[in-house]
Amino acid sequence: MSRSSSDLQSRQAASRTLVFLRSQLCLEFKLLNHSLLLKVLPILFMIYMAWYLFRPLSNPPYLTIYEAFSYGNMMTVGIAATLGIVLVRRDLMRTGYEWSQSLPLTMATRIGAKFIAGVVYMTLLTAAALFIFIIFSLKHGVSGGVIADRALYFVCGYEISHMISLALAMLLAVCIPNRVVFMGGFIVWIFGTFFIERFVIRETRLIYLKIFSLNPFFQYSGAVNDLWGLTLGTREWMMSLTLLFPLALGMLAISIFLLNRGRPSFRRNPSGWAIVICIVAGLTAAVPYRGYWTEQYDTYQERMEDVSKTHPSSLNGHRDVKDIYPIQDTRIRLTRHKDDSLTAAANLTINGSVLNPAKEISLTLNRTFTVEGVKVDGKTVSFTRQGDSLRIHPVQHAGKELHINIVYKGKVLEFNPGTTNLYEAFVQGSNVLLPQYMAWYPLPGNQTIYESNSSLSLVSLIGLPMELPFTNFQLTAEGFTQPLYTGLNAVKQDGGVQIFEMRKSRGVSLFSGELAEMSNKDKALHVVSAPYEHQSAQAILNSADTVYRYFSSWLPNLKLNHNRLIILGNDMYKFSSEFNSESNYDYLLGSMYPYQQYGFVAEKWLNYAMFGTEKGRFFSEEEHEDVRPQIRSMFWYLYYRDQQKWTDRQIREKVNLYQISPLVNLEGTSRNPGFLKMRKQVAKAIDNDQSTKVKKVLSHFYTQGLEIPLSIEAKHSDFSKPISYADWEKEWKRVMEGE
Amino acid sequence: MIHIENLSKRYRKDTWVLRDIDLNLNEGMVGLLGPNGAGKTTLMRILATLVPPTSGEAVIAGIPLNQPDELRRIIGYLPQQFQVYPQLTGLEFLDYVGVMKGLTDAKIRRAEIDRVIEEVNLQDKAAKRVKTYSGGMRRRLGIAQALLGSPRVLIVDEPTVGLDPQERVRFRNLLTRFSMGRIVLLSTHIVADIESNCRQIAVLDRGAVKLAGDLADLQRCGENRVWEARLSEMEFARLDPASIVTTHREEEGVLCRIIGEKQPVSSAVTVSPSLEEGYLSLLWLESKEGEPEHE
């Protein structure tokens, strides 16, 4: 046979196949279209999504979206499985439709058409969910780019899970010709959506098994985090898609192979080759997937074994701290390279008098980093590195200042399969999470960074804040693609170099990612938020601005300690939610706060920002000795009475801030009669239009400082001293009775 | 022409459904007779390329059985159990089958569909959903899809089962018309279905060909084996029921036609066999050959 005639035959065969496929598809669509239930399902699904997303939110928006898609996918996988079974059983497994096998129509065409029709139908459900998601996201002020990214993730996840479910269900129906197949489909659905996540992956912490889950949107996937979840997981997600696609095709090929077994064909069963190709493609895709997870788990395992050697098994969150001393100045130069590795140079200035010259200088630096060299006062010195400990061998300093230079490098991607976020610290592309508690820069003393339990195969960062002395901190960061956010003041953030500094810092965490910053009119207040928290951020900013404008109108020396609030999204990682935890720390919001109580959050923020910490409040032995907590409460009482025009009763009903909780019990449950007298004084003055005088009194004490640190820290703090009740009375009399 | 040589089919290890089938079938209507379980449906399914034979060969209209993809373009097949998608109309269904049979041009396809609808007399119901059709209408729709594209070979497996007499006659006439210039292979266990139409017949029993020839050959199987006698009640009761073909009660006794090699009663006389009697004689003979001899 000549080549041209052979080509012509091939072209004719291909053309015929396309015609048959189109006709078979039309048939499948017609049959699907006749089902009232199938017509109604996308509408019902849309209603479900709308109900889930638009009901009053009790969780942050992105978490709500994720849950909606997750629970929705459980349902759609069930629909896909049932549809796959019905598509096959309808005619391929019935004797009465045997006539169709005498048509010149291949099983590949029939199965392919059924699969495509099923996928197209399921796309209607995806589209229904997508539509509601877009409306919801726009309502929350999310930018188009972010919506598109998230939409792509959810759509791809839905489509691939539908494809897998359809292909698997069709294969089941081919293998099990009787109605028992529906039971089989049900079991596969339960196992593939619910059981595998709850009882296999969570218990074993073998995250890579999620490739076998029919529902990719489970809590344990890391993608649940609004800010970093998706971008951190992109590489792994792409790898899993390249593995799942041949898996779906492979199952279809097996179905065709089985159906072709009994049916005569001139060619050898071509689907056999298709199965081989799919297996080869799947194995090829599995190599990088396996390599990725092997690397993560090996690193994790290594860390666990290493930590277990130095710290006995414990998971009580307790941090051992030894040999703490103050570091006067901490200057860090941090450089990120294109491969996400970090190099850093830390320059520490320590007053020699706090060190024992006979002993080593203990520092803590995360074991991820390799120390390249240490110099003291310009001279290279020897050091020991063990775990997170860095010990510089004794140096003679005669009580003078020591200048220590430490050069270190490493790559940060702290994988932890024991957490839902999967990553506890990272620098990857524009995503940066370097929490202070991981010791990404040298910290004084010997501190435990990790806790572990080898019998449970768990090791993780201890999320408790570190109790460290203050240091003057300066950070110069280079090579980061997005602005960094810290608790420090930003001095410069352009030209690729970012400089931050702050006097009296006690701990620096770094954040970067898809964060956006918004400010009030006079740029005094800033809120930085994850994409889905912009609306909340704006609401909080507006509430905070109201408070700020009120107080700044009569407090001439109003100073905000923390004028930047960072909202990381629906997950706070291991950061404490309490504003009182530490000073000079970034405060984060997440699902721990009552959601949508923006006024409450704003006031809590401003309470801390204006007055500083009040950690030492509950340790005052005698209330008469120190009425700073009460004075702080008076500011708020004045605000609610003067600005909000609330009555005492309304304050009792509406206000829920613990720092003014005594005001909630306005009938006098306080044990301190002096405090009740203070409140009555202020209330009476306000009632008599003497708010201006009250402001004068409060302003006087504000100037003195109202921060209440713990007593052991007080010596490092020059912000405030205790104010006695007598001091209050004296000033009150002075102002009220005329100067 | 259908040429079948040594065709065999086995489903389980020792269960031969067809054994060494040799047949040469020419143009026209061919009847395939046999009792239930004879292997007729299996043979039909093999020829319709639904299942492969275990061994042997067949050539249908010059195309060997090992080229099933080519064969499927020239055959029309109506199985014994025929189901259609109830949601479709007759027209939609035939349009789908028409495309599959290579009628890709819409106008030509529509003309062909109209032709076969007229052939099967479904003009009034063609635009209605199949779920509204009676059993007979569905059968007619089945034959319509088999006729679509004017296949060179038409294979119909017990097409008149479940049809009323009028439908049955209509079917036979339709198939007869279609058989001109083509082969129509019709399997049945009802002799009347082939009586007026078939030029050739083959009789299968227990997977083997017992007779291949024409109607006269089948009829001749009954010669000197069909007896007629008027019997008393007692004589009637003594007869082997399997050998009784017809009975007719009269005042003088029971008038019977009986199959047998020997005269069953002294009053019995041989008669000219009908086609059915010839068929029954053939089967009876086969069944007796399988039995051990009794004294």
Side-chain angles (χ1 to χ4, degrees):
Chain A
M1 186 182 291
S2 71
R3 190 176 170 168
S4 59
S5 133
S6 166
D7 285 345
L8 179 65
Q9 278 195 347
S10 301
R11 276 201 298 276
Q12 283 174 341
S15 168
R16 206 163 40 232
T17 304
L18 281 173
V19 167
F20 287 174
L21 181 62
R22 196 171 60 227
S23 183
Q24 192 67 29
L25 263 176
C26 285
L27 173 70
E28 298 295 341
F29 284 137
K30 266 191 197 136
L31 296 173
L32 289 176
N33 192 41
H34 277 288
S35 167
L36 181 61
L37 177 63
L38 289 180
K39 279 186 196 164
V40 160
L41 274 177
I43 299 167
L44 291 177
F45 194 61
M46 194 184 286
I47 293 170
Y48 151 76
M49 285 295 286
W51 165 78
Y52 203 98
L53 292 181
F54 289 101
R55 61 188 178 157
L57 289 179
S58 57
N59 277 324
Y62 189 73
L63 181 59
T64 307
I65 287 169
Y66 194 88
E67 284 178 350
F69 274 100
S70 177
Y71 299 140
N73 196 222
M74 272 190 76
M75 291 189 265
T76 58
V77 162
I79 295 168
T82 309
L83 183 62
I85 292 171
V86 166
L87 282 169
V88 168
R89 278 181 60 82
R90 179 171 61 204
D91 47 16
L92 290 180
M93 312 306 287
R94 281 197 184 164
T95 318
Y97 286 84
E98 210 176 52
W99 53 267
S100 60
Q101 294 193 42
S102 69
L103 296 173
L105 181 62
T106 62
M107 281 299 170
T109 306
R110 297 184 79 178
I111 289 287
K114 287 176 188 298
F115 180 71
I116 293 169
V119 169
V120 169
Y121 173 75
M122 295 307 297
T123 303
L124 293 178
L125 298 173
T126 307
L130 184 68
F131 179 67
I132 300 296
F133 159 73
I134 290 173
I135 294 175
F136 179 83
S137 299
L138 288 172
K139 184 178 168 258
H140 280 268
V142 182
S143 71
V146 170
I147 295 176
D149 272 344
R150 304 298 187 267
L152 183 65
Y153 170 68
F154 288 122
V155 165
C156 286
Y158 260 48
E159 291 300 292
I160 202 73
S161 95
H162 293 161
M163 279 189 214
I164 295 285
S165 306
L166 272 168
L168 180 57
M170 288 170 76
L171 177 58
L172 267 180
V174 167
C175 294
I176 308 174
N178 58 38
R179 283 183 196 148
V180 166
V181 68
F182 286 105
M183 175 65 75
F186 176 76
I187 291 168
V188 162
W189 174 63
I190 284 288
F191 182 84
T193 55
F194 175 73
F195 191 86
I196 195 170
E197 183 198 342
R198 297 290 159 96
F199 299 108
V200 177
I201 295 173
R202 281 202 190 190
E203 292 302 315
T204 61
R205 291 189 292 280
L206 298 174
I207 309 299
Y208 49 80
L209 290 180
K210 66 186 176 127
I211 202 106
F212 298 112
S213 171
L214 294 175
N215 179 358
F217 306 109
F218 48 88
Q219 296 286 323
Y220 215 40
S221 73
V224 70
N225 177 260
D226 175 13
L227 180 56
W228 293 305
L230 205 57
T231 43
L232 273 183
T234 299
R235 188 176 147 222
E236 182 264 333
W237 178 56
M238 295 301 295
M239 282 193 278
S240 66
L241 285 182
T242 55
L243 180 51
L244 289 170
F245 200 61
L247 182 66
L249 293 181
M251 285 193 281
L252 288 179
I254 294 172
S255 299
I256 296 165
F257 181 84
L258 292 173
L259 287 168
N260 271 339
R261 258 186 335 176
R263 189 175 184 240
S265 177
F266 175 59
R267 295 179 291 272
R268 287 179 183 273
N269 198 342
S271 51
W273 285 111
I275 295 170
V276 169
I277 291 168
C278 289
I279 290 173
V280 169
L283 289 173
T284 308
V287 167
Y289 186 79
R290 182 172 178 272
Y292 175 85
W293 286 113
T294 304
E295 194 188 325
Q296 307 300 321
Y297 278 90
D298 282 350
T299 312
Y300 179 74
Q301 187 69 24
E302 243 177 70
R303 193 185 321 134
M304 186 170 60
E305 283 163 4
D306 198 29
V307 170
S308 302
K309 279 185 220 158
T310 50
H311 296 95
S313 289
S314 69
L315 282 175
N316 57 12
H318 174 71
R319 190 194 299 283
D320 281 333
V321 178
K322 289 176 199 163
D323 306 328
I324 294 284
Y325 52 87
I327 297 178
Q328 249 168 253
D329 299 305
T330 304
R331 281 177 171 68
I332 309 286
R333 186 170 199 94
L334 183 68
T335 305
R336 177 193 157 265
H337 303 283
K338 282 194 177 136
D339 63 350
D340 291 325
S341 63
L342 298 173
T343 51
N347 289 293
L348 312 175
T349 304
I350 305 172
N351 188 333
S353 60
V354 304
L355 299 171
N356 183 339
K359 286 178 86 178
E360 292 171 323
I361 302 172
S362 293
L363 290 161
T364 305
L365 178 68
N366 194 287
R367 64 192 67 208
T368 295
F369 297 107
T370 310
V371 177
E372 305 261 86
V374 178
K375 285 183 180 170
V376 177
D377 290 333
K379 291 184 195 145
T380 303
V381 296
S382 58
F383 61 91
T384 310
R385 189 92 164 108
Q386 190 186 17
D388 303 309
S389 159
L390 170 63
R391 293 197 302 277
I392 300 170
H393 297 158
V395 171
Q396 293 304 316
H397 51 77
K400 292 182 193 162
E401 257 184 16
L402 280 176
H403 299 279
I404 302 175
N405 170 263
I406 305 165
V407 175
Y408 56 98
K409 66 175 187 184
K411 214 168 181 182
V412 180
L413 187 63
E414 292 261 318
F415 171 67
N416 183 353
T419 62
T420 53
N421 288 312
L422 298 187
Y423 296 97
E424 297 195 285
F426 42 83
V427 173
Q428 197 178 68
S430 61
N431 302 305
V432 175
L433 172 61
L434 289 174
Q436 181 242 23
Y437 53 74
M438 78 162 289
W440 62 272
Y441 61 91
L443 302 175
N446 205 342
Q447 314 206 32
T448 48
I449 307 294
Y450 293 96
E451 55 186 350
S452 78
N453 187 317
S454 52
S455 57
L456 294 175
S457 298
L458 280 175
V459 62
S460 61
L461 286 168
I462 299 173
L464 293 174
M466 292 177 159
E467 302 294 340
L468 294 170
F470 292 116
T471 183
N472 300 323
F473 205 104
Q474 189 194 62
L475 168 68
T476 304
E478 288 176 303
F480 292 88
T481 56
Q482 296 278 0
L484 291 169
Y485 293 98
T486 82
L488 307 171
N489 298 319
V491 172
K492 173 177 153 64
Q493 277 190 293
D494 56 44
V497 177
Q498 302 184 53
I499 302 176
F500 305 88
E501 56 188 35
M502 182 173 270
R503 288 186 66 244
K504 306 231 177 325
S505 161
R506 199 162 47 211
V508 178
S509 302
L510 297 185
F511 314 95
S512 187
E514 275 180 314
L515 292 162
E517 183 169 348
M518 52 186 80
S519 312
N520 70 339
K521 229 177 189 174
D522 53 7
K523 308 281 182 208
L525 298 170
H526 310 270
V527 180
V528 178
S529 72
Y532 274 83
E533 300 298 335
H534 290 337
Q535 213 177 51
S536 306
Q538 188 63 59
I540 291 168
L541 186 64
N542 292 344
S543 297
D545 187 51
T546 305
V547 173
Y548 173 75
R549 275 189 284 110
Y550 174 75
F551 285 112
S552 62
S553 67
W554 56 270
L555 281 173
N557 45 1
L558 176 65
K559 186 180 147 219
L560 296 178
N561 292 323
H562 297 279
N563 65 350
R564 182 181 283 112
L565 185 71
I566 298 180
I567 306 173
L568 288 186
N570 54 280
D571 202 302
M572 293 178 58
Y573 287 76
K574 287 184 171 173
F575 292 103
S576 168
S577 66
E578 288 303 318
F579 284 98
N580 278 343
S581 300
E582 52 272 302
S583 62
N584 295 335
Y585 204 89
D586 296 300
Y587 289 86
L588 314 171
L589 287 179
S591 57
M592 292 183 69
Y593 280 97
Y595 195 65
Q596 290 190 317
Q597 293 191 18
Y598 305 124
F600 169 72
V601 169
E603 286 167 16
K604 212 166 176 183
W605 171 29
L606 267 288
N607 182 62
Y608 185 81
M610 293 191 300
F611 306 122
T613 183
E614 53 177 347
K615 260 198 300 191
R617 168 181 158 184
F618 297 103
F619 294 93
S620 176
E621 288 180 3
E622 186 57 58
E623 277 182 338
H624 273 91
E625 297 290 323
D626 188 2
V627 293
R628 283 177 297 178
Q630 287 76 9
I631 294 173
R632 287 170 65 134
S633 301
M634 291 306 161
F635 278 83
W636 291 104
Y637 183 69
L638 177 66
Y639 171 75
Y640 295 128
R641 290 289 314 270
D642 188 31
Q643 168 71 15
Q644 304 288 61
K645 310 292 183 205
W646 289 348
T647 62
D648 282 355
R649 188 178 172 176
Q650 283 174 312
I651 293 170
R652 191 167 48 234
E653 283 167 7
K654 293 184 189 196
V655 176
N656 190 23
L657 290 173
Y658 83 96
Q659 60 267 25
I660 56 164
S661 59
L663 290 176
V664 175
N665 300 313
L666 290 172
E667 301 315 320
T669 56
S670 168
R671 286 173 297 166
N672 185 346
F675 167 66
L676 287 178
K677 192 179 173 193
M678 284 168 74
R679 190 197 64 76
K680 279 180 185 163
Q681 285 170 319
V682 171
K684 191 177 170 186
I686 295 170
D687 290 340
N688 293 338
D689 286 328
Q690 289 178 310
S691 300
T692 311
K693 287 189 176 176
V694 174
K695 287 174 184 174
K696 235 176 172 169
V697 173
L698 293 177
S699 180
H700 165 80
F701 289 112
Y702 183 80
T703 310
Q704 289 187 22
L706 292 168
E707 188 176 30
I708 317 172
L710 286 172
S711 57
I712 59 168
E713 302 161 348
K715 60 185 176 184
H716 298 292
S717 165
D718 55 8
F719 282 134
S720 78
K721 303 277 181 294
I723 298 171
S724 68
Y725 179 65
D727 292 335
W728 163 266
E729 271 294 287
K730 184 179 166 188
E731 183 61 22
W732 182 264
K733 250 183 173 165
R734 188 185 71 79
V735 171
M736 287 298 166
E737 290 170 11
E739 292 167 278
Chain B
M1 162 126 174
I2 297 178
H3 171 73
I4 303 171
E5 194 175 316
N6 287 332
L7 199 76
S8 302
K9 179 68 181 175
R10 182 179 63 187
Y11 281 120
R12 285 191 196 86
K13 204 176 171 185
D14 293 313
T15 309
W16 291 91
V17 181
L18 293 174
R19 203 86 191 235
D20 297 322
I21 303 291
D22 288 302
L23 282 172
N24 283 303
L25 309 172
N26 297 316
E27 199 179 280
M29 193 89 147
V30 179
L32 191 62
L33 276 170
N36 290 332
K40 304 188 298 298
T41 297
T42 304
L43 180 61
M44 302 290 246
R45 292 177 85 225
I46 290 172
L47 295 178
T49 69
L50 265 60
V51 292
T54 306
S55 62
E57 291 167 351
V59 177
I60 303 171
I63 302 173
L65 203 58
N66 61 8
Q67 291 180 23
D69 303 314
E70 293 298 318
L71 271 175
R72 285 172 190 135
R73 292 200 192 104
I74 64 157
I75 59 173
Y77 176 56
L78 176 64
Q80 191 174 350
Q81 288 181 48
F82 178 75
Q83 275 181 285
V84 185
Y85 308 104
Q87 308 95 320
L88 301 182
T89 64
L91 282 173
E92 284 172 339
F93 170 66
L94 290 174
D95 190 71
Y96 160 73
V97 176
V99 171
M100 295 305 162
K101 288 200 173 187
L103 299 169
T104 49
D105 184 279
K107 276 189 183 158
I108 295 172
R109 188 166 67 247
R110 184 59 205 237
E112 177 65 7
I113 289 170
D114 289 341
R115 182 188 71 79
V116 298
I117 283 174
E118 203 179 318
E119 288 266 21
V120 301
N121 197 21
L122 271 178
Q123 299 96 311
D124 294 339
K125 289 290 270 185
K128 297 199 166 48
R129 294 207 200 288
V130 171
K131 67 181 178 189
T132 64
Y133 288 14
S134 67
M137 287 176 192
R138 289 182 199 223
R139 271 272 164 214
R140 277 188 266 153
L141 186 64
I143 200 68
Q145 66 81 26
L147 291 176
L148 212 50
S150 295
R152 286 163 65 184
V153 177
L154 185 66
I155 302 171
V156 283
D157 189 1
E158 308 213 25
T160 60
V161 166
L163 297 183
D164 60 42
Q166 195 181 11
E167 290 274 359
R168 219 181 278 155
V169 168
R170 189 182 290 139
F171 239 87
R172 284 183 216 141
N173 294 338
L174 172 62
L175 293 176
T176 306
R177 276 202 307 279
F178 188 77
S179 67
M180 295 178 195
R182 296 183 183 85
I183 300 176
V184 175
L185 181 59
L186 162 72
S187 92
T188 181
H189 58 267
I190 302 172
V191 178
D193 281 344
I194 57 146
E195 209 162 14
S196 52
N197 313 321
C198 290
R199 284 194 201 167
Q200 309 159 81
I201 54 112
V203 177
L204 289 184
D205 188 21
R206 286 180 243 175
V209 175
K210 300 302 171 191
L211 174 76
D214 56 25
L215 295 175
D217 294 331
L218 184 60
Q219 198 169 10
R220 267 197 291 279
C221 290
E223 273 186 9
N224 301 318
R225 292 195 181 101
V226 182
W227 306 83
E228 190 175 90
R230 193 170 276 106
L231 305 172
S232 66
E233 291 284 348
M234 213 176 316
E235 285 170 326
F236 179 73
R238 275 207 293 266
L239 280 179
D240 175 10
S243 64
I244 303 172
V245 180
T246 59
T247 55
H248 180 69
R249 286 200 177 270
E250 292 174 337
E251 278 186 25
E252 298 82 12
V254 181
L255 182 66
C256 299
R257 284 171 84 106
I258 304 149
I259 293 173
E261 289 281 3
K262 299 174 186 170
Q263 191 185 29
V265 292
S266 55
S267 60
V269 293
T270 59
V271 289
S272 181
S274 66
L275 193 63
E276 190 170 41
E277 285 160 353
Y279 168 65
L280 290 172
S281 300
L282 177 62
L283 292 181
W284 179 85
L285 199 64
E286 291 297 319
S287 67
K288 289 301 173 197
E289 279 179 3
E291 283 176 2
E293 286 188 16
H294 293 288
E295 285 194 15

